[in-house]
Amino acid sequence: LSTPRTTTTVDTIELTVRALRALAGPFAGLSGADFCQAICRHIVEQLELDCVFVGLYASDTEEVHSYAGWDGQGAMQPFSYALADTPCEHVVGREYATYPDSVQQRFPNDLMLVEMGLEAYVGAPLFDRKGRPLGIVVALATQALATDHPVATLLPLFVETISAEIQRSRAEQELRQQEAWLRKTEAGYRALFDSLHETVYVQQADGRFITVNQGAERMYGYPRDWFIGKGPADLAAPGRNDLEALQRIYSRVLDGQPQTFEFWGRRADGSEFPKEVRAYRGIWYGDEVIFALAIDISDKKAHQQQLEYAARYDILTGLPNRVLLAEYMAQTLDGCREAQRQLAVAYIDLDGFKAINDHHGHEVGDHLLVAVARRMQRAVDKDDLVARLGGDEFVAVLATSSAERLDPRLDRLLQAASAPIVLGELTLHVSASIGVTTCACTHDPSDPDQLLRRADQAMYQAKLDGKNRIHLFDDALEQDILLRHENRTRLREALEHDEFELHYQPKVNMHSGAVIGAEALIRWRHPERGLLSPAAFLPDIEGQPLDIELGEWVIDRALRQTRQWREAGLELPVSVNISGHHLEQPDFIERLRARIEAEPDYQPGQLELEILESTALGEIGRTSSVIQAGRALGVAFALDDFGTGYSSLTYLKRLPAQVLKIDQSFVRDMLEDPDDLAILEGVIGLADAFRRHTIAEGVETLEHGQLLLQLGCEQAQGYGIARPMPADAIPGWIASWQPAPLWLEARPLNHEDLPILYAGVEHRAWIKAIEQHLSGAQSDPPPLDPHQCRFGRWLDQARSDRRLSQSPTLRLIDALHEQVHAEADRLLAEPRSDRVIGEHLGPLYQLRDRLLGELESLRR
Ligand code: C2E
Ligand code: CA
Ligand code: CA
């Protein structure tokens, strides 16, 4: 056993002073482990101990890691040990543990004590500010220590300082770690900030940039620093942005309403581009700022433009379409008015295009349209516009100062359409109907719709006139259209106010004298203009709904009239004229049936419908089934104005109408026109062959009637019999009417007498030609040689006819004929003047009538 060393109290004081000096002096510059090691060394050396170290608990206080230490040789290598079965175990949570001697014997399991050959142990606990165990300070000696050894005094002197320093350095370390981490994350955010596809700006309330991301560099081509302190005005494409509006946008953003807007930027290289910006309010290092995200929308704009293009151009031909046409016209019309130039609008519709489409298919049709479109575009000036409205309709807008400058272009347009088009093996032909109007023509020159409508109307007229032509719109036509419109309104009122009435024209059998019916003819008793005939108002409602209403009104009135006549003891069928449009109505028969069924005591044939021959031919299948259905209802049918519609035999066979009503134009002229006579004869023969009745209209004179009777047509209607009259005049007229004695005598001619009839008409025709030549209505006179005129030729023939050659009448006729020609020669030789002709024609007519009289007796 070793004797404990002793130290005096003076030593202790001295030691304390030294320790304090060391702490204030050389140790003050140290920190952390260095500081602690300096203290350990100080204690070892001052107290002649073997080893002093500072150990820190691991988190669970079951293990200690050396933090700093000093033994006789120098700084200790770092080491760790478990607390169990060591004197240190007793330090944890306690004040001090002091074992001045025999520490090995006390802790036989602590191998470190044995290894180092230790005899004495002093341990002091370290606590943090909150009193939690931090670690220990341990002093060791290989010799036993005296009980008053100064280590007990000196150690506590350092314990506080060591604790404080350890905590401070730990805090500092934590801070440093935190800083490192912060640095790392900030770099992350910045990378994120820069890698965004969008350009990001952080802006002050006035828009100036606080910072921007790399996207801004990419977008504008300026380095990032360039932006700082600049504002949107520095980025704006000149003249393309409203910067004042932008300030208003920013203030809305700062009010908390995120905003999206477009902005035209200008890059460092001067190029301009559109971008879309979304701006939000945000906080940046404590300040209220604007966060703005922008993307380049050049592509989107281009796409938009593409869409706009598609909306304005025709896909097939590439020509402007209806939309662009309207825009262009609106603009150009304004321009034209200012420049006092004229604008012509040509409405172009291809003729015969449908047939090509039908025969060759749509693909060929499309090719043709493209070809024509190209040609037309070349046909106009570069300031003109050709647009496609759709289908085979185009519009050209031509600027011009005069009609002369316009004409060649219009002609070229016409040619562009009509020149043949070669597609592979095919050579196609179409033409165009072009309607033209100019802005000078309209009442409101700035209304494009009006112009187009007028051009369209003119085009329609070009079609009617025979196609492949140009028709200029004229104002009179327009006036007419307006008037028709007004008239229609007025006509509807007339129907409502019951201003229409029916007049009736008797139809008779000239041979028997029987009155066989009456034709109902509409009249308008106009409050100011008096009684108007149908020609004055029917054309205005043709094809209109009013046409049908009026037609039904007529049927209704006519049926009521027949009922009233029957009640008065008169059985008289009535004929009603039916317009084509009315007849075409799908429910025509249904409505007719309803009306007939509503008529008490309806007799078959009481109602006859007159259908224009031309209408009936239009849709012959339909018309014939309407006629059939109507006949089943007991309604009779007549083909009106027969002879003007050019019915062929086959057509006539298919139209089950009982009556052919011979048009008055043939009747009127049959006395003087051998062609009309021939038609009349033909129609009557045709009707006979098909077992139809004929009735002649327009019988104005006894001679008309006589001739018709001679041809075998007994039924007639006309001024020569009676004019149309109010219904209540009919019974009185019937009671008093008597056919002319001439008609009662008249008989159908023998076949061989027909040439004589024609000869008479030829002669009348010749006289009429002389008369017309004298009055100047006809430039050439008829043949003046008595053997050259048609009558003369017939006469020459008749002289060789066995039956006639011996007739004294023929010789008389021959002489009269010579006289007629001589008289005509004399008249032609005289100086012409109306007065002279009037005086001198009398003898000619007398000769004619004598001749015709003799001719008639030749027949008998
Ligand atoms: P329309 O069917 O040919 O009728 C005969 C027309 O000739 C009537 O003219 C009649 O007054 C006239 N007329 C009769 N006899 C003679 C004559 O000897 N000489 C001459 N020069 N004319 C004669 P209106 O009444 O003026 O009717 C004209 C046309 O109007 C009719 O021609 C008919 O097509 C149509 N119309 C008349 N009433 C109606 C109606 O109620 N409905 C329809 N849809 N059309 C009607
Ligand atoms: Ca008629
Ligand atoms: Ca007629």
Side-chain angles (χ1 to χ4, degrees):
L1 269 170
S2 57
T3 37
R5 275 193 260 157
T6 53
T7 322
T8 61
T9 311
V10 180
D11 287 339
T12 306
I13 292 163
E14 179 61 26
L15 286 169
T16 303
V17 171
R18 283 190 207 148
L20 291 175
R21 271 199 199 126
L23 283 172
F27 295 180
L30 301 175
S31 67
D34 293 343
F35 176 76
C36 292
Q37 184 176 296
I39 290 175
C40 292
R41 181 181 184 170
H42 181 84
I43 298 170
V44 167
E45 286 172 357
Q46 292 297 317
L47 300 185
E48 290 168 17
L49 293 173
D50 291 284
C51 164
V52 173
F53 70 90
V54 177
L56 299 180
Y57 297 132
S59 50
D60 54 5
T61 61
E62 298 203 338
E63 217 186 8
V64 170
H65 300 291
S66 70
Y67 179 63
W70 191 267
D71 59 17
Q73 284 78 49
M76 289 173 79
Q77 293 301 310
F79 61 92
S80 304
Y81 61 95
L83 283 169
D85 296 334
T86 66
C88 297
E89 192 180 16
H90 300 271
V91 182
V92 179
R94 279 213 270 131
E95 281 276 290
Y96 284 83
T98 307
Y99 305 100
D101 54 54
S102 315
V103 72
Q104 280 186 43
Q105 284 85 342
R106 284 171 198 247
F107 297 95
N109 293 330
D110 188 341
L111 293 178
M112 199 173 76
L113 298 179
V114 180
E115 207 179 280
M116 293 174 68
L118 295 172
E119 196 59 27
Y121 173 99
V122 179
L126 298 172
F127 296 97
D128 71 7
R129 244 173 286 131
K130 291 182 180 155
R132 286 173 303 200
L134 205 60
I136 49 176
V137 183
V138 177
L140 301 165
T142 45
Q143 287 176 6
L145 302 178
T147 41
D148 60 344
H149 192 275
V151 69
T153 321
L154 210 56
L155 215 50
L157 210 61
F158 289 111
V159 163
E160 280 295 299
T161 327
I162 290 171
S163 295
E165 177 55 21
I166 286 172
Q167 285 180 68
R168 193 200 59 78
S169 81
R170 272 192 177 171
E172 190 186 271
Q173 202 184 340
E174 238 166 66
L175 200 70
R176 235 177 275 132
Q177 269 173 1
Q178 224 168 24
E179 268 177 3
W181 182 82
L182 264 178
R183 263 197 301 280
K184 231 164 90 182
T185 47
E186 202 193 280
Y189 282 130
R190 182 157 283 278
L192 177 68
F193 188 57
D194 283 337
S195 69
L196 283 177
H197 172 69
E198 282 91 349
T199 307
V200 185
Y201 311 94
V202 182
Q203 288 165 283
Q204 298 178 355
D206 62 2
R208 274 189 292 144
F209 301 115
I210 297 167
T211 183
V212 301
N213 73 348
Q214 237 170 37
E217 293 184 347
R218 283 195 298 268
M219 186 177 261
Y220 280 96
Y222 292 116
R224 196 192 298 246
D225 292 344
W226 180 90
F227 288 88
I228 314 304
K230 296 228 169 41
D234 301 300
L235 295 180
R240 300 189 83 152
N241 301 289
D242 183 347
L243 294 171
E244 278 173 31
L246 194 61
Q247 274 310 324
R248 287 195 294 276
I249 289 174
Y250 286 149
S251 52
R252 279 199 290 278
V253 171
L254 292 166
D255 279 349
Q257 311 163 29
Q259 303 281 313
T260 302
F261 55 94
E262 277 180 21
F263 184 86
W264 276 87
R266 187 164 74 165
R267 301 191 184 89
D269 65 9
S271 59
E272 297 179 353
F273 68 100
K275 64 180 186 180
E276 190 179 271
V277 185
R278 296 165 68 73
Y280 312 84
R281 181 175 63 182
I283 301 294
W284 183 259
Y285 292 103
D287 290 331
E288 199 163 76
V289 295
I290 298 163
F291 287 132
L293 268 78
I295 48 170
D296 186 328
I297 52 168
S298 300
D299 288 352
K300 185 170 138 187
K301 278 264 172 218
H303 184 62
Q304 231 168 35
Q305 259 168 8
Q306 249 171 7
L307 287 181
E308 276 167 24
Y309 178 90
R312 285 181 162 66
Y313 288 86
D314 174 51
I315 300 169
L316 180 65
T317 60
L319 292 179
N321 66 12
R322 201 179 270 282
V323 177
L324 184 53
L325 174 71
E327 285 175 5
Y328 177 81
M329 281 181 76
Q331 279 172 15
T332 325
L333 278 171
D334 280 349
C336 265
R337 238 180 330 174
E338 281 151 27
Q340 294 212 310
R341 288 202 310 165
Q342 273 209 22
L343 192 73
V345 176
Y347 203 109
I348 304 158
D349 188 292
L350 299 186
D351 311 317
F353 176 72
K354 192 179 171 301
I356 288 189
N357 241 356
D358 290 351
H359 283 120
H360 301 289
H362 287 278
E363 211 173 310
V364 169
D366 284 354
H367 279 303
L368 182 136
L369 287 175
V370 171
V372 170
R374 248 185 240 139
R375 281 196 203 152
M376 287 201 295
Q377 213 167 15
R378 265 182 267 131
V380 298
D381 290 353
K382 72 174 190 325
D383 291 339
D384 300 338
L385 178 106
V386 179
R388 177 173 178 225
L389 289 188
D392 59 350
E393 294 185 3
F394 299 85
V395 165
V397 182
L398 312 167
T400 186
S401 49
S402 70
E404 294 80 60
R405 296 220 27 249
L406 191 61
D407 277 349
R409 272 176 287 168
L410 290 175
D411 286 341
R412 285 203 301 270
L413 278 173
L414 199 63
Q415 279 158 18
S418 61
I421 286 160
V422 180
L423 290 175
E425 308 264 275
L426 286 172
T427 303
L428 304 172
H429 293 272
V430 287
S431 57
S433 296
I434 303 183
V436 181
T437 189
T438 64
C439 58
C441 213
T442 65
H443 307 299
D444 177 9
S446 62
D447 181 356
D449 283 348
Q450 228 176 51
L451 273 171
L452 272 182
R453 232 181 310 117
R454 275 155 227 256
D456 186 14
Q457 275 163 23
M459 181 280 289
Y460 185 66
Q461 194 56 48
K463 288 255 183 221
L464 289 181
D465 291 350
K467 304 179 177 172
N468 190 19
R469 70 194 57 226
I470 296 166
H471 185 90
L472 283 165
F473 177 86
D474 69 276
D475 227 13
L477 186 69
E478 170 75 358
Q479 286 302 329
D480 195 46
I481 287 158
L482 284 176
L483 203 67
R484 276 167 61 100
H485 183 75
E486 270 172 34
N487 286 353
R488 278 205 288 281
T489 320
R490 181 66 191 90
L491 278 163
R492 176 163 294 286
E493 282 171 15
L495 186 61
E496 281 157 11
H497 299 167
D498 206 20
E499 290 172 11
F500 292 108
E501 54 190 62
L502 291 181
H503 283 204
Y504 294 87
Q505 186 177 35
K507 302 193 291 185
V508 301
N509 184 311
M510 295 181 288
H511 182 65
S512 68
V515 178
I516 55 169
E519 179 177 6
L521 295 161
I522 195 165
R523 301 287 179 265
W524 180 8
R525 195 164 290 283
H526 194 283
E528 288 114 41
R529 293 160 64 196
L531 197 66
L532 300 180
S533 66
F537 56 90
L538 282 190
D540 291 342
I541 60 165
E542 208 179 284
Q544 302 290 322
L546 192 57
D547 190 346
I548 297 155
E549 285 170 55
L550 198 62
E552 294 196 337
W553 180 88
V554 173
I555 294 176
D556 182 69
R557 270 304 157 91
L559 280 171
R560 263 159 63 177
Q561 190 55 58
T562 53
R563 199 194 318 152
Q564 280 169 18
W565 280 330
R566 175 181 306 141
E567 282 159 10
L570 175 63
E571 205 64 56
L572 192 68
V574 3
S575 305
V576 163
N577 294 285
I578 298 296
S579 78
H581 183 58
H582 189 184
L583 192 77
E584 276 165 20
Q585 297 310 301
D587 59 352
F588 179 78
I589 283 294
E590 276 328 297
R591 299 182 67 93
L592 183 64
R593 169 178 294 130
R595 181 58 190 87
I596 298 262
E597 281 170 0
E599 184 63 23
D601 201 18
Y602 177 85
Q603 302 294 312
Q606 185 179 331
L607 178 67
E608 182 184 65
L609 299 184
E610 298 191 359
I611 304 170
L612 288 178
E613 185 200 11
S614 47
T615 311
L617 294 179
E619 247 190 294
I620 188 151
R622 226 193 84 74
T623 316
S624 105
S625 53
V626 168
I627 294 178
Q628 243 151 19
R631 284 184 64 173
L633 294 173
V635 175
F637 284 85
L639 292 181
D640 207 354
D641 292 0
F642 194 82
T644 56
Y646 315 106
S647 303
S648 72
L649 289 176
T650 37
Y651 276 4
L652 189 57
K653 206 173 126 196
R654 287 178 60 191
L655 287 171
Q658 299 101 315
V659 177
L660 306 184
K661 204 166 186 188
I662 303 168
D663 188 62
Q664 49 181 282
S665 63
F666 303 114
V667 176
R668 186 185 62 220
D669 296 339
M670 67 182 173
L671 291 174
E672 289 168 336
D673 186 336
D675 290 341
D676 281 347
L677 181 63
I679 290 175
L680 214 63
E681 193 202 336
V683 168
I684 292 165
L686 201 64
D688 229 30
F690 283 94
R691 275 185 289 284
R692 310 290 167 85
H693 297 293
T694 47
I695 178 165
E697 45 173 41
V699 174
E700 292 187 350
T701 64
L702 289 179
E703 283 140 311
H704 283 117
Q706 189 191 26
L707 186 53
L708 283 163
L709 284 163
Q710 286 170 344
L711 289 171
C713 174
E714 296 183 342
Q715 300 190 352
Q717 175 185 350
Y719 292 171
I721 300 157
R723 290 193 171 245
M725 61 189 88
D728 49 13
I730 287 282
W733 180 85
I734 292 178
S736 67
W737 187 67
Q738 295 252 309
L742 193 61
W743 290 355
L744 292 173
E745 289 164 15
R747 292 286 175 278
L749 291 182
N750 286 329
H751 191 68
E752 55 271 32
D753 281 342
L754 275 176
I756 301 176
L757 189 71
Y758 276 90
V761 172
E762 295 284 11
H763 186 60
R764 279 181 198 267
W766 187 85
I767 298 284
K768 194 179 178 194
I770 290 288
E771 184 191 311
Q772 285 190 327
H773 176 65
L774 286 171
S775 70
Q778 196 178 302
S779 57
D780 290 328
L784 294 172
D785 180 339
H787 297 281
Q788 287 303 309
C789 74
R790 289 202 182 186
F791 185 81
R793 286 201 224 149
W794 171 80
L795 212 53
D796 290 344
Q797 238 174 18
R799 271 195 292 270
S800 59
D801 182 296
R802 218 175 3 91
R803 189 171 71 93
L804 296 175
S805 56
Q806 300 310 311
S807 162
T809 314
L810 192 67
R811 281 197 293 279
L812 180 56
I813 289 171
D814 201 356
L816 282 167
H817 185 233
E818 296 283 343
Q819 280 180 43
V820 168
H821 275 257
E823 178 63 14
D825 282 342
R826 203 178 55 76
L827 284 171
L828 288 173
E830 283 186 5
R832 291 173 201 183
S833 90
D834 281 355
R835 202 176 52 78
V836 171
I837 291 165
E839 273 172 15
H840 291 73
L841 278 180
L844 191 68
Y845 290 153
Q846 280 165 14
L847 285 168
R848 175 196 67 186
D849 290 346
R850 270 190 69 193
L851 185 151
L852 291 174
E854 293 302 327
L855 202 60
E856 223 166 284
S857 64
L858 196 62
R859 287 201 309 251
R860 282 183 235 126

